[in-house]
Amino acid sequence: MPRAGLTSAAVTAAGAALADEIGLASLSMGLLAERLGVRPPALYKHVTNLADLLHRIAILAWTELADTIRDAIQGRAGKDALTAGAQAMRIYVRTHPGRYAAANAAQTGGPDDPLTTAANRMVDSAAAILRGYQLDPGQEIHALRMLRSTLHGFTTFETGGGFQIDVDADDSFAWTIAFIDHGLQAITTHGTSTH
């Protein structure tokens, strides 16, 4: 008999929280069952296996991050939106490193996979950060890839303890955002092409 109140969503949320605490690589069905106060077989009434759990955590993470960025940039444009959206992502990754790692490791199972929808939603939120720069359509995908790569790299290094030099990471982050802003403005002003 399933534990009262235990659902697929509850198991996923608990798994995501545990992954944030102990790291994605350490997450197991046994540890999750212990956290929930059930025996491991009880979890399989709600998720198929560990791979299914990780997939569900990835969907949760992309959905949460998309909403976090969307809410942060509401009513903002240009550097204001860039700063707010980038900071929102940075805080999310610092707060939820396990689920963010799950999102980046997950593979979509095709267009009908809820992960595809969640990932596309996150891309849409990231693209909205750039909307105020009024980029040429031919530049938009390049700018989006640059933005996601830069923010992913910075936040992943930061949460992984990769910044060992004794310089404030907040200052480096502000410098990075200013650098991106100047580059995006230059493309908009001068129509710089990468070709």
Coordinates of all heavy atoms in Angstrom, one line a residue, residues 11 16 27 43 50 54 57 72 87 94 97 100 109 115-116 119 132 139 142 158-159 175 188:
V11 N 7.5 12.6 -4.7 CA 8.8 11.8 -4.8 C 9.8 12.6 -5.6 O 11.0 12.7 -5.2 CB 8.5 10.4 -5.4 CG1 9.9 9.8 -5.7 CG2 7.7 9.6 -4.4
A16 N 14.6 15.9 -5.8 CA 15.3 17.2 -6.2 C 15.9 17.9 -5.0 O 17.1 18.3 -5.1 CB 14.3 18.1 -6.8
L27 N 22.8 10.8 -5.3 CA 21.4 10.5 -5.1 C 21.2 9.0 -5.5 O 21.6 8.5 -6.5 CB 20.6 11.4 -6.1 CG 19.1 11.2 -6.0 CD1 18.5 11.5 -4.6 CD2 18.4 12.1 -7.1
L43 N 8.8 3.4 -3.5 CA 9.1 4.5 -4.5 C 8.7 4.1 -5.9 O 8.3 4.9 -6.7 CB 10.5 4.9 -4.4 CG 11.0 5.5 -3.1 CD1 12.5 5.8 -3.3 CD2 10.2 6.7 -2.7
L50 N 15.6 4.9 -11.0 CA 16.4 6.1 -10.8 C 16.5 7.0 -12.0 O 16.4 8.3 -11.9 CB 17.8 5.8 -10.3 CG 18.8 6.9 -10.0 CD1 18.2 7.8 -8.9 CD2 20.2 6.4 -9.7
L54 N 15.4 10.9 -12.2 CA 16.3 12.0 -12.7 C 15.7 12.8 -13.8 O 15.8 14.0 -13.9 CB 17.7 11.4 -13.2 CG 18.5 10.7 -12.0 CD1 19.8 10.2 -12.6 CD2 18.8 11.7 -10.9
I57 N 13.2 15.1 -12.3 CA 13.9 16.2 -11.6 C 14.3 17.2 -12.7 O 14.2 18.4 -12.4 CB 15.1 15.7 -10.8 CG1 14.6 14.9 -9.6 CG2 15.9 16.9 -10.3 CD1 15.7 14.2 -8.8
A72 N 11.7 37.4 -13.0 CA 12.7 38.4 -12.7 C 12.8 39.5 -13.8 O 13.1 40.6 -13.4 CB 14.1 37.7 -12.6
Q87 N 21.1 37.3 -12.8 CA 21.2 37.1 -11.4 C 20.2 36.0 -10.9 O 20.5 35.3 -10.0 CB 21.0 38.4 -10.7 CG 21.3 38.4 -9.2 CD 22.7 38.1 -8.9 OE1 23.6 38.5 -9.6 NE2 23.0 37.4 -7.8
R94 N 22.8 28.3 -7.6 CA 23.5 28.2 -6.3 C 22.6 27.5 -5.3 O 23.0 26.8 -4.4 CB 23.9 29.6 -5.8 CG 25.1 30.2 -6.5 CD 25.2 31.7 -6.3 NE 25.6 32.1 -5.0 CZ 25.8 33.3 -4.7 NH1 25.7 34.3 -5.6 NH2 26.1 33.7 -3.5
P97 N 21.8 23.3 -7.0 CA 22.8 22.7 -7.8 C 22.5 21.3 -8.3 O 22.8 20.9 -9.4 CB 24.1 22.7 -7.0 CG 23.6 22.7 -5.6 CD 22.3 23.5 -5.6
Y100 N 19.7 21.4 -11.0 CA 20.3 22.0 -12.2 C 21.2 21.1 -13.0 O 21.2 21.0 -14.2 CB 21.0 23.3 -11.9 CG 21.6 24.0 -13.1 CD1 20.8 24.7 -14.0 CD2 23.0 24.0 -13.3 CE1 21.3 25.4 -15.1 CE2 23.5 24.7 -14.4 CZ 22.6 25.4 -15.3 OH 23.1 26.0 -16.4
G109 N 13.4 12.7 -24.9 CA 12.9 11.5 -25.6 C 12.1 11.8 -26.9 O 11.4 11.0 -27.4
L115 N 10.0 16.8 -21.0 CA 11.3 17.5 -20.8 C 11.6 18.4 -22.0 O 12.2 19.5 -21.8 CB 12.5 16.4 -20.8 CG 13.9 17.0 -20.6 CD1 14.0 17.8 -19.3 CD2 14.9 15.9 -20.6
T116 N 11.2 18.1 -23.2 CA 11.3 18.9 -24.4 C 10.6 20.2 -24.1 O 11.1 21.3 -24.4 CB 10.8 18.2 -25.6 OG1 11.6 17.0 -25.8 CG2 11.0 19.1 -26.9
A119 N 12.4 22.3 -21.4 CA 13.6 22.9 -21.9 C 13.3 24.0 -22.8 O 14.0 25.1 -22.8 CB 14.4 21.8 -22.6
G132 N 15.0 43.1 -25.6 CA 15.1 44.5 -25.6 C 16.3 45.0 -26.4 O 16.4 46.2 -26.7
Q139 N 21.2 37.2 -35.8 CA 22.1 37.2 -34.6 C 21.5 36.6 -33.4 O 22.3 36.3 -32.4 CB 22.5 38.7 -34.3 CG 23.2 39.4 -35.4 CD 24.6 38.9 -35.7 OE1 25.2 38.2 -34.9 NE2 25.2 39.3 -36.8
H142 N 22.8 33.2 -32.1 CA 24.2 33.3 -31.6 C 24.3 34.0 -30.2 O 25.0 33.5 -29.3 CB 25.1 34.1 -32.6 CG 25.1 33.6 -34.0 ND1 25.3 32.2 -34.2 CD2 24.8 34.1 -35.2 CE1 25.3 32.0 -35.6 NE2 24.9 33.2 -36.1
E158 N 31.2 28.4 -10.2 CA 30.9 29.0 -8.9 C 30.4 27.9 -7.9 O 30.9 27.8 -6.8 CB 30.0 30.2 -9.0 CG 29.8 30.9 -7.6 CD 28.9 32.1 -7.8 OE1 28.0 32.1 -8.6 OE2 29.2 33.1 -7.1
T159 N 29.4 27.2 -8.3 CA 28.8 26.2 -7.3 C 29.8 25.0 -7.1 O 29.7 24.4 -6.1 CB 27.5 25.7 -7.9 OG1 27.6 25.1 -9.2 CG2 26.4 26.7 -7.9
W175 N 31.0 42.3 -13.8 CA 31.9 42.6 -14.9 C 31.5 41.8 -16.1 O 31.4 42.3 -17.3 CB 33.3 42.3 -14.6 CG 34.4 42.7 -15.6 CD1 35.1 43.9 -15.5 CD2 34.8 42.0 -16.7 NE1 35.9 43.9 -16.6 CE2 35.8 42.8 -17.4 CE3 34.4 40.8 -17.3 CZ2 36.4 42.4 -18.6 CZ3 35.0 40.3 -18.5 CH2 36.0 41.1 -19.1
T188 N 24.0 45.6 -31.9 CA 22.8 46.3 -32.3 C 23.1 47.6 -33.0 O 22.5 48.0 -34.0 CB 21.9 46.6 -31.0 OG1 21.7 45.4 -30.4 CG2 20.7 47.3 -31.4

